[in-house]
Structures are given as structure tokens and as C-alpha cells.
Amino acid sequence: MNILKRFGSFWYHFIVGDDWKVAVGVVIGLAATGYLAHNSHLRVWWLLPALVVTMLSFSLWTAIRKK
């Protein structure tokens, strides 16, 4: 059981890290991109890079604001 707990803890810290809001934003972005790519005729390749820039800006803004 200890191995499973450590394995789960590793993946939690690897994916979520310090900011759970960024992890949730990335999951929502991946889901939205997958849904739009599958169910529409739009080219949505630009959505993930735009999301990465937005989430990085948000993360930096919150880190600077805390100081």
C-alpha cells in the first residue's frame, strides 16, 4: 500500500504542483480542445498555445501579487 500511496503522491505533485488553478485550467483547455477538434470543423490547434500563455501569465501575476 505504501508504494501506491507514494506513486499517487508523485503524480499529484507532478501534475498539480504549487498551483491547482493552473492544473485545472490545463485540464479544461485540453478537454475543450479535444471536444472542439472532434465535434466541429474548426481548426483549434491554436487554443492550447493560447491557453499556455494565458495560464503562465495568470500564474506569474498571482505570484507577484502575493509579494
Side-chain angles (χ1 to χ4, degrees), residues 26-40 42 44-45 47-48:
V26 169
V27 168
I28 290 171
L30 285 171
T33 302
Y35 177 79
L36 289 173
H38 184 59
N39 294 323
S40 71
L42 300 173
V44 292
W45 63 267
L47 189 59
L48 282 179

Side-chain angles (χ1 to χ4, degrees), residues 15-37:
I15 294 171
V16 175
D18 293 332
D19 195 1
W20 64 270
K21 294 173 226 153
V22 173
V24 169
V26 169
V27 168
I28 290 171
L30 285 171
T33 302
Y35 177 79
L36 289 173

